[in-house]
């Protein structure tokens, strides 16, 4: 604590990202990265952008990247906002759409960054308890509120909420923004993007860090009708006119154009996930049905914290959250087939 | 205006960056970019970082870049904060160090983004009028306040405030943070960085967009004692754990290590600036003594707005601010010798 910190900053608890083990050789299944690299087409385009032109500011409007997104999602250009990772975009949303006195709603079990944003920007919030199956109690999101924030599929559970249920939440909140964080949507969920033309209160947030193999590049998108996008632009242009560097803009644009490589990698990860779920269930794990690139699992005989440590001793890093209701679960990212086989062998060794 | 925007966002006026003319062939002297490219060493290091490893998150602590900065500035590693451009760092400062009820101080004529941050984060502020020579009235920064923010050299005037005067402001504000935005310090000013060990209330902010020829890459640094750096980290980790992508981190690190190319370019720009000032004064322009990579000039016979338009018709873009006290000045970035000769020829043609 420092006397120089603002009162807000004295009171917050920042988010703690999953460990990045650096050069140490481990099987890294803790931050939901993609085990497959970005395509050569993406890398070549980026290398070409590493040029003398870096002396100039990048395009503050990210038009090339946004046009590629407009083509990919079949939306108008002014329905697209590009940011320095979806985390930054979500932070901007809190400033753009929520007011301190109006309580926003999100589930008690979800991406833990939401609570961090709310505390930084002093937005009051209520955490709606998920039911015993980790499903969303729909009616709890129908009452008066200052906005709604849902991850779909949810994190860290991987559970998917059907689009028809999201539509009901949108119908009940015509005057408030409903943000659907679809960071993991490409791994088998159904996106809410097709609802955008019908719902001016819907904002969908995507990231390039998971399905697009570009966690190192920091790109996210927000998709919604133009007045929501303009609200985000007002916040961005009051913080940093140029949030995306010139090289990242080109990499993101190529990723959206090179759909074949992207779809092939997603398919492989889904296959590996289903195979891993089957193997873990054979080891008596309870595994929640996942539509993400991770699984959420618990074992009836051994506490998750012990499993976490035992895996770590075998140089396999997964994620463990010491939080109410989920402190007996492990969140395990889906790696390559070889990595997941090593995980299953290690767990078999531990649980026997 | 949208009913979905927060009350704050309804009331703000975002910053408007200088125009980026895209592919059109112009002499671009409007955003204080460096006319010389980053060195081959910087570009080669970045190309090598465009690799499969982009599938992984970057180092959230930017240790390589920060260690290079620690070596360059001869400061401990925990005195260094790295961000996605100095604009983002300044925004974080408002959240980290200033409280809504405590009025912060900055000059009436300075980087216009400061007022934008204050309004976004609802920090009350007072604009201290510069004297008739655009110098800082020192005593005005000695009274009770919530913090002080000064650009040195100042923008858009280019005027330098001697370090001894900054030291007096630091002495009079022991309990409040004094932020010195040294975006242009490398072009002939004397940095406040050597004061950091003596003043726990001093934060110095630097950018790679001007002297380091990397505007397209978005890198800034904050330098100060560790408790200030920790305050910034708390804000960053409540917004976006990974603000700097993996390629940018490597480019920034190499730029700090490759001092020869950097110093050569700075020297050329300073020489070109002095030559340009001389030429403009011969054309009867009043030019403020500049320690930056731009000059601030006015002509007794022709209004600045007219000069701006006349230059534009000749495909030379400079910056004009239609603001009180400075609406008869042009801010002209220093380009190559050839570009500045073209500027002087054009102005000679216009003023005769």
């Amino acid at each position: 604590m420092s006397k120089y910190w603002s009162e807000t900053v004295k009171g917050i608890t920042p988010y703690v990202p999953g460990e990045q083990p650096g050069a140490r050789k481990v099987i890294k299944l803790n931050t939901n990265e993609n085990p497959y690299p970005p395509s050569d087409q993406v890398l070549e385009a980026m290398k070409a952008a590493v040029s003398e032109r870096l002396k100039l500011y990048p395009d503050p409007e990210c038009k090339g990247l946004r046009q590629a997104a407009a083509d990919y999602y079949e939306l108008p250009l002014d329905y697209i906002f590009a940011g320095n990772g979806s985390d930054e975009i979500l932070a901007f949303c809190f400033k753009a759409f929520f007011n301190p006195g109006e309580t926003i709603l999100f589930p008690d079990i979800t991406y833990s960054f939401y609570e961090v944003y709310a505390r930084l920007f002093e937005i009051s919030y209520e955490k709606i308890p998920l039911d015993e199956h980790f499903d969303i109690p729909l009616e709890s999101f129908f009452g008066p509120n200052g906005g709604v924030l849902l991850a779909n599929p949810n994190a860290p559970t991987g559970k998917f909420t059907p689009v028809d249920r999201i539509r009901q939440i949108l119908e009940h909140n015509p005057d408030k923004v409903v943000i659907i964080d679809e960071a993991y949507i490409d791994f088998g969920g159904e996106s809410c993007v097709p609802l955008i033309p019908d719902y001016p209160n819907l904002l969908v947030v995507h990231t390039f860090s998971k399905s697009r193999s570009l966690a190192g590049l920091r790109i996210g998108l927000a998709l919604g009708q133009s007045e929501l996008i303009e609200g985000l632009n007002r916040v961005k242009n009051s913080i940093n006119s140029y949030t995306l560097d010139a090289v990242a803009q080109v990499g993101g644009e190529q990723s959206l154009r090179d759909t074949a490589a992207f779809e092939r990698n997603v398919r492989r990860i889904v296959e590996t996930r289903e195979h891993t779920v089957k193997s873990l269930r054979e080891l008596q794990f309870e595994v929640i049905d996942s539509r993400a690139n991770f699984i959420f699992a618990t074992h009836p005989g051994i506490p998750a914290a012990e499993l976490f440590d035992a895996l770590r001793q075998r140089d396999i890093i997964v994620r463990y959250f010491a939080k109410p209701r989920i402190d007996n679960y492990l969140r395990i990212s889906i790696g390559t087939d070889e990595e997941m086989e090593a995980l299953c062998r290690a767990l078999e060794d531990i649980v026997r």
Side-chain angles (χ1 to χ4, degrees), chain A:
Chain A
M1 199 69 69
S2 160
K3 69 175 174 183
Y4 296 117
W5 296 357
S6 67
E7 294 308 314
T8 309
V9 161
K10 282 176 187 163
I12 58 177
T13 306
Y15 181 75
V16 179
E19 181 190 359
Q20 295 294 336
R24 193 157 64 88
K25 184 77 185 161
V26 296
I27 295 181
K28 186 173 183 307
L29 305 174
N30 69 330
T31 53
N32 299 340
E33 289 143 335
N34 197 309
Y36 304 110
S39 73
D40 288 343
Q41 188 177 320
V42 169
L43 296 178
E44 289 311 314
M46 288 178 64
K47 280 184 185 162
V50 176
S51 78
E52 297 203 352
R53 277 193 65 82
L54 287 173
K55 71 185 181 185
L56 302 177
Y57 281 98
D59 174 11
E61 296 178 18
C62 305
K63 281 196 279 296
L65 168 60
R66 285 171 54 238
Q67 187 58 57
D71 296 344
Y72 180 81
Y73 293 106
E74 298 179 345
L75 290 172
L77 184 62
D78 64 356
Y79 279 37
I80 315 274
F81 177 86
N84 185 34
S86 59
D87 285 344
E88 179 189 83
I89 294 175
L90 290 166
F92 288 177
C93 286
F94 273 70
K95 204 70 192 158
F97 307 125
F98 301 153
N99 288 304
E102 300 172 14
T103 302
I104 65 163
L105 309 178
F106 50 82
D108 64 338
I109 300 168
T110 191
Y111 186 28
S112 52
F113 220 136
Y114 301 160
E115 192 168 2
V116 175
Y117 300 130
R119 295 178 71 117
L120 180 72
F121 294 117
E122 297 171 280
I123 303 294
S124 60
Y125 59 96
E126 186 185 340
K127 296 197 274 187
I128 305 293
L130 296 182
D131 71 17
E132 70 275 22
H133 306 292
F134 295 143
D135 280 323
I136 285 170
L138 209 57
E139 291 72 15
S140 304
F141 293 91
F142 290 173
N145 64 67
V148 170
L149 181 47
L150 294 173
N152 195 32
N154 199 13
T157 63
K159 268 234 157 170
F160 176 69
T161 301
V163 168
D164 270 353
R165 294 169 67 88
I166 306 278
R167 187 196 292 270
Q168 290 181 60
I169 294 173
L170 288 162
E171 296 278 357
H172 280 85
N173 289 279
D175 296 324
K176 295 296 164 187
V177 179
V178 176
I179 298 169
I180 308 297
D181 175 358
E182 292 191 338
Y184 302 101
I185 197 68
D186 292 324
F187 300 104
E190 183 190 352
S191 175
C192 288
V193 168
L195 301 185
I196 288 172
D198 295 330
Y199 294 95
N201 55 332
L202 170 61
L203 191 83
V204 180
V205 177
H206 281 189
T207 176
F208 285 49
S209 300
K210 314 298 182 183
S211 57
R212 295 193 175 276
S213 303
L214 288 170
L217 207 53
R218 321 303 306 124
I219 305 178
L221 296 174
L223 313 166
Q225 291 192 18
S226 47
E227 62 182 308
L228 297 189
I229 300 306
E230 195 186 335
L232 284 173
N233 274 318
R234 289 174 73 88
V235 172
K236 187 199 84 150
N237 289 320
S238 299
I239 290 180
N240 185 1
S241 312
Y242 312 90
T243 53
L244 270 177
D245 72 54
V247 182
Q249 288 188 33
V250 166
E253 179 179 347
Q254 280 306 315
S255 170
L256 286 161
R257 304 254 182 236
D258 185 16
T259 50
F262 157 72
E263 287 168 2
R264 188 171 57 242
N265 288 342
V266 164
R267 212 160 40 233
R268 290 156 83 182
I269 291 165
V270 169
E271 286 169 12
T272 305
R273 178 186 71 205
E274 294 309 310
H275 189 263
T276 305
V277 169
K278 191 163 164 287
S279 301
L280 291 188
R281 284 178 177 158
E282 285 167 5
L283 295 172
Q284 313 310 322
F285 278 88
E286 290 169 28
V287 188
I288 294 175
D289 285 331
S290 168
R291 300 276 190 99
N293 71 335
F294 58 83
I295 50 179
F296 205 51
T298 184
H299 193 272
I302 306 178
E306 281 180 32
L307 291 170
F308 175 82
D309 289 335
L311 285 172
R312 206 184 161 78
Q313 282 169 17
R314 288 163 174 82
D315 282 340
I316 299 175
I317 304 183
V318 299
R319 191 104 200 240
Y320 171 70
F321 301 92
K323 294 193 173 178
R325 299 188 67 189
I326 58 171
D327 59 359
N328 201 27
Y329 283 83
L330 295 179
R331 193 196 69 184
I332 304 168
S333 307
I334 302 300
T336 62
D337 282 328
E338 296 68 33
E339 289 172 326
M340 301 319 280
E341 275 162 32
L343 170 89
C344 291
R345 277 196 308 273
L347 284 173
E348 185 171 4
D349 186 37
I350 295 163
V351 301
R352 288 220 169 129

